[in-house]
């Protein structure tokens, strides 16, 4: 019986790898297998409604640092319970900054087009593009300091987290942030 399995296996391998037979048709490469629908989806991003990459809202500073596994700079000033940490080499408010209040991670802010928000929004898009992505979930509020500008507030599909896009007076996205109430609605960073 064992010999029959060995012979059957050898015959199968010989049929698959025979130099006399034409090679099997090549498998389509990943790039050629992308459908138009897939090409229109947002690229993968570390941004999430419940945190960023491996860090989650509510983590204390020690758990955040362990999950982040990279060098961070920033510490609370004397008498302040709210502050930002940024990865080494990042100058706030560009790229990304992580807000902590009461010793816990509560929000992150993005000020460049390098990052993609949950759902696909980015700095530089116009308000119409954001509305096309997020639809009826958007609640529009006037900007506190810029006449004609808005905050576009989008509740997470699940949970208490919120995504906020800021526009300029021309309706272009200038920055965005994700976090939990009430910190998500602080319009002056920790202020």
């Amino acid at each position: 019986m064992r010999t029959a399995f060995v012979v059957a296996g050898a015959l199968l391998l010989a049929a698959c790898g025979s130099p006399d037979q034409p090679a099997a048709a090549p498998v389509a490469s990943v790039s050629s297998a992308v459908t138009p629908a897939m090409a229109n989806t947002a690229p993968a991003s570390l941004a999430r409604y419940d945190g960023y990459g491996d860090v989650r809202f509510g983590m204390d500073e020690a758990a955040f640092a362990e999950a982040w596994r990279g060098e961070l700079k920033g510490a609370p000033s004397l008498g302040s319970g709210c502050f930002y940490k940024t990865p080494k080499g990042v100058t706030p408010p560009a790229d990304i900054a992580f807000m902590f209040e009461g010793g816990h991670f509560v929000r992150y802010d993005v000020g460049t087009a390098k990052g993609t928000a949950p759902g696909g929004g980015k700095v530089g898009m116009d308000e119409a593009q954001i509305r096309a992505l997020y639809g009826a979930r958007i609640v529009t509020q006037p900007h506190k300091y810029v006449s004609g500008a808005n905050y576009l507030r989008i509740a997470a599909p699940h949970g208490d987290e919120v995504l906020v896009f800021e526009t300029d007076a021309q309706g272009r996205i200038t920055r965005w942030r994700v976090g939990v109430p009430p910190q998500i609605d602080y319009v002056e960073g920790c202020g």
Side-chain angles (χ1 to χ4, degrees):
M1 185 71 153
R2 178 188 283 174
T3 306
F5 283 120
V6 171
V7 171
L11 289 174
L12 184 60
L13 286 173
C16 290
S18 172
D20 297 336
Q21 294 190 356
V27 175
S29 71
V30 173
S31 61
S32 65
V34 174
T35 66
M38 293 168 77
N40 291 329
T41 60
S45 175
L46 295 175
R48 304 166 47 111
Y49 280 105
D50 64 349
Y52 187 86
D54 292 335
V55 296
R56 299 289 173 267
F57 296 126
M59 285 182 159
D60 64 23
E61 290 180 62
F64 183 98
E66 185 177 323
W68 183 256
R69 294 184 303 268
E71 190 175 337
L72 296 163
K73 56 185 179 179
S77 57
L78 189 60
S80 174
C82 181
F83 67 99
Y84 280 93
K85 287 188 178 232
T86 56
K88 182 180 179 180
V90 171
T91 305
D95 294 336
I96 189 161
F98 302 105
M99 180 189 283
F100 289 80
E101 188 168 60
H104 293 89
F105 174 45
V106 294
R107 168 176 145 177
Y108 60 95
D109 297 40
V110 176
T112 70
K114 292 180 195 175
T116 302
K122 294 181 83 152
V123 168
M125 286 183 161
D126 63 35
E127 195 168 326
Q129 290 172 300
I130 297 299
R131 291 191 182 286
L133 288 171
Y134 300 93
R137 295 175 41 214
I138 297 173
V139 174
T140 304
Q141 301 166 330
H143 199 285
K144 185 173 180 178
Y145 297 111
V146 181
S147 179
N150 291 311
Y151 298 110
L152 307 176
R153 195 174 196 279
I154 303 152
H158 306 288
D160 296 330
E161 300 86 10
V162 176
L163 165 62
V164 175
F165 290 100
E166 289 186 37
T167 74
D168 60 17
Q170 291 73 43
R172 287 258 174 233
I173 303 304
T174 59
R175 58 183 308 101
W176 55 271
R177 60 187 182 262
V178 178
V180 295
Q183 295 87 359
I184 188 61
D185 294 311
Y186 295 173
V187 296
E188 299 170 354
C190 282

